[in-house]
Amino acid sequence: MDTNTVNYQEEKKIYYKVLVGLLLLTAITFIQPHMFMTHSTFLAQMLIAVVKAWLIVIYYMHLKGEKLIAAMVWFALALVTVFFIIVIGIDVANFQFGAESHITAPAAH
């Protein structure tokens, strides 16, 4: 018996489920800021983006069984996250145009 046979009908069902999941997550990405006005919108958006990226890497790039690549992806994700936090932290600490910004300026009455 050949253990390398692939049931393409089952594979196709999985890809359609992943596609529907990605479409739903994309819809949630657009709806979430308007439905749930919270301070954690950025965190929710980043979590949705990570889940979508993970689904694409695992299923569409066929890396589901690759252990070394998965470890490298997690390491790269951690590295990018650390640098992102450092850069944003430096930028926020040195932001000097608060009065001119339409985002941080006090509301005019």
Side-chain angles (χ1 to χ4, degrees):
M1 181 174 167
D2 186 14
T3 59
N4 292 329
T5 59
V6 177
N7 185 346
Y8 290 107
Q9 294 303 321
E10 290 298 319
E11 289 285 323
K12 193 160 75 168
K13 287 179 187 177
I14 291 171
Y15 287 126
Y16 282 131
K17 287 178 184 178
V18 172
L19 175 63
V20 168
L22 288 169
L23 291 172
L24 287 173
L25 286 170
T26 301
I28 291 170
T29 301
F30 286 103
I31 295 170
Q32 184 268 333
H34 303 291
M35 296 289 290
F36 309 105
M37 294 290 193
T38 64
H39 296 294
S40 61
T41 296
F42 177 76
L43 181 63
Q45 294 288 316
M46 286 293 113
L47 181 64
I48 293 169
V50 167
V51 170
K52 287 169 54 177
W54 178 79
L55 285 171
I56 290 168
V57 166
I58 295 299
Y59 289 103
Y60 290 131
M61 295 177 71
H62 308 286
L63 299 178
K64 191 173 183 180
E66 301 290 332
K67 301 295 185 222
L68 179 61
I69 292 177
M72 289 171 50
V73 166
W74 284 111
F75 175 74
L77 177 65
L79 191 63
V80 167
T81 302
V82 167
F83 282 121
F84 181 76
I85 290 171
I86 290 170
V87 168
I88 294 297
I90 291 170
D91 187 45
V92 168
N94 296 317
F95 188 66
Q96 54 187 330
F97 300 108
E100 291 88 6
S101 172
H102 66 86
I103 297 172
T104 57
H109 295 285

